[in-house]
Amino acid sequence: MATVAEGAVPLLPVSLDEAHSPQKVMAHGDLLRRFVAGDEFKPIHMRIGIMGACNMRCDFCNFHSPNEEQFYDLFSFKDSIATGKAVGLLREFAANDGRAVTFCGSGECTIHPGYAEISRAGHEAGLRIGLITNGSRLGRPAVAEAVAATHTWVRIGLNAGTEATFNDITRDREQTFASFVGAVGRLRERAVAPDFRIGFNFVITRQNHREILEAARIGLDSGAHYVRFEPEFYSGLGHETIEAVMPQIAESLRQAAALSTDAYEVSVPKLDRGPMDQVDEVEGDFERCHYSRFVTAVGADGNLYPCPQVHLNSRYLIGNVLEQGYAEVLEGGPRAEWEAANPRRTDLCKSCFYRPQNELLEHLHRGQVQLDRALDSYAVEVPSTLHADFI
């Protein structure tokens, strides 16, 4: 077996399943033509956190880490969007060209007492719905029924290969780990959406990196469509917390990748992402954040932000959509003022989670990639884009 030389960066198996492809923006030729022409259009995908609170306390959670105390300066576990206001916001988003919403954020959305009602209202408004969750409430009838009836996809935090490590990392008290195999299979069987996908996300840390292969096996046994591995990340540190064990991580991921089948994908995003702030080096060949033209984010504080990577940071606060209205913030003074104050990438965006999307959009904007030719090629390579509205 080949070994990694001391000091060398290990070669890692990088793959993204179809549902998480950064090229999905190419499925929206109408929007891309307006983008290239410099015309205005509204975001079609909203990422929203309706709760600041969470029923777990994961060791790697950015919002509770001392490494992020200055970055997420607006985070509060007390924040919550009331059910009626959340329903109204989703309806307003749908009425303003919105197509898809992902429930995520600083807290756990499914512990919101109105989660089922909010999900059903968004679905009735014509929105496709995705959920990023710790999975603790997926076995509860009200939540499970709403998810099966209304959701397009679900991504669950796995983060361990054994129950002992899972409980130690998450402080879970609800026997969540033991429920994964049964809950995932039941939701997959009962889901109404024909293109429904459910899978796991595993945040790699020093504490759990030895259980990567075990976690991949659990995902396979559960009936999940995929398991996605990504490294622990902090805005000021990047991946420094796991640099010492990257060779072992790389080997474990290679072994896990061997479990992939046509029905089960082992997905590994980019694992060498640098820190976002407190550094001088800028990553990526793009000058502005184009991705925020297509996708927007709302925090549990009710404020609109350009993307979930920087939400709950006061430098990126655009305006309060609950107090001022989504359309007014989006099209009125607040967004225009924010964009005028941030004409280029600022020091908080030196490393970008959406770098592939932004680089593609930058090349289209510059004319380095000819749009019609790119659209034709994409149509041949990807005849049908899975979950296209979740850009």
Side-chain angles (χ1 to χ4, degrees):
M1 180 180 298
T3 59
V4 178
E6 184 177 356
V9 177
L11 298 176
L12 301 170
V14 178
S15 67
L16 277 172
D17 61 280
E18 187 180 0
H20 298 110
S21 170
Q23 306 299 323
K24 287 196 291 185
V25 68
M26 295 302 299
H28 300 279
D30 55 336
L31 296 182
L32 288 174
R33 287 190 174 88
R34 294 168 72 178
F35 168 73
V36 170
D39 297 335
E40 289 297 319
F41 58 92
K42 300 171 184 176
I44 64 170
H45 181 195
M46 175 186 287
R47 299 172 187 253
I48 182 171
I50 54 176
M51 289 289 291
C54 183
N55 57 339
M56 294 187 187
R57 195 63 174 264
C58 300
D59 287 348
F60 53 82
C61 179
N62 289 20
F63 299 100
H64 295 284
S65 170
N67 297 313
E68 304 286 16
E69 287 177 347
Q70 295 181 346
F71 191 83
Y72 296 107
D73 59 321
L74 297 181
F75 166 73
S76 172
F77 68 89
K78 296 180 181 179
D79 283 337
S80 176
I81 301 178
T83 299
K85 288 185 177 294
V87 168
L89 174 58
L90 294 190
R91 288 173 176 163
E92 188 178 6
F93 175 62
N96 283 273
D97 301 336
R99 303 179 191 176
V101 59
T102 295
F103 290 105
C104 52
S106 55
E108 172 55 41
C109 290
T110 63
I111 69 172
H112 191 294
Y115 185 76
E117 180 180 346
I118 295 167
S119 297
R120 292 185 186 277
H123 185 260
E124 290 170 2
L127 297 172
R128 309 195 79 195
I129 297 175
L131 169 65
I132 299 173
T133 176
N134 62 30
S136 61
R137 301 299 167 89
L138 292 179
R140 299 199 175 189
V143 173
E145 290 169 8
V147 169
T150 66
H151 284 41
T152 300
W153 60 266
V154 178
R155 190 164 79 230
I156 306 166
L158 180 55
N159 306 318
T162 65
E163 187 167 17
T165 300
F166 181 88
N167 292 342
D168 191 31
I169 286 176
T170 65
R171 314 297 192 273
D172 178 53
R173 299 176 182 272
E174 302 186 36
Q175 298 183 318
T176 301
F177 188 86
S179 73
F180 283 152
V181 172
V184 168
R186 285 192 297 272
L187 281 174
R188 182 168 180 172
E189 292 173 359
R190 295 168 57 195
V192 173
D195 57 353
F196 180 79
R197 295 291 185 276
I198 185 167
F200 290 107
N201 194 74
F202 186 110
V203 178
I204 305 167
T205 72
R206 290 288 295 269
Q207 193 172 355
N208 67 13
H209 77 276
R210 294 181 180 87
E211 299 182 2
I212 287 173
L213 183 57
E214 289 86 346
R217 287 174 176 149
I218 289 170
L220 179 62
D221 292 342
S222 75
H225 290 93
Y226 65 88
V227 62
R228 168 177 167 165
F229 292 96
E230 61 182 1
E232 184 174 35
F233 174 81
Y234 294 111
S235 65
L237 299 175
H239 303 318
E240 290 179 13
T241 58
I242 57 173
E243 280 184 358
V245 292
M246 285 300 282
Q248 298 97 306
I249 289 171
E251 180 55 34
S252 293
L253 288 172
R254 290 190 185 94
Q255 294 178 29
L259 298 177
S260 290
T261 68
D262 290 341
Y264 179 66
E265 175 76 19
V266 177
S267 171
V268 185
K270 177 186 176 185
L271 296 186
D272 60 346
R273 177 177 165 211
M276 289 164 56
D277 62 354
Q278 304 176 33
V279 293
D280 296 323
E281 185 177 354
V282 176
E283 292 185 1
D285 182 22
F286 61 99
E287 296 181 348
R288 298 171 183 260
C289 177
H290 304 299
Y291 181 71
S292 60
R293 297 279 306 279
F294 298 80
V295 180
T296 194
V298 175
D301 58 356
N303 286 310
L304 190 75
Y305 298 88
C307 92
Q309 182 177 6
V310 295
H311 91 299
L312 301 180
N313 182 300
S314 57
R315 290 192 60 184
Y316 287 84
L317 188 157
I318 296 176
N320 193 289
V321 295
L322 302 182
E323 297 174 359
Q324 299 167 269
Y326 172 75
E328 285 72 16
V329 172
L330 188 71
E331 299 186 288
R335 191 186 193 203
E337 290 173 7
W338 184 87
E339 290 185 347
N342 294 271
R344 297 181 184 275
R345 298 167 62 191
T346 67
D347 58 344
L348 294 183
C349 281
K350 291 185 177 180
S351 173
C352 177
F353 189 79
Y354 306 102
R355 171 178 172 177
Q357 291 92 326
N358 269 317
E359 287 188 324
L360 171 60
L361 292 168
E362 180 77 17
H363 294 160
L364 289 169
H365 177 70
R366 294 176 185 169
Q368 293 172 300
V369 175
Q370 207 279 326
L371 178 58
D372 287 333
R373 186 176 302 171
L375 290 173
D376 290 342
S377 297
Y378 182 80
V380 172
E381 295 173 8
V382 188
S384 179
T385 301
L386 181 65
H387 303 170
D389 292 334
F390 295 93
I391 298 178

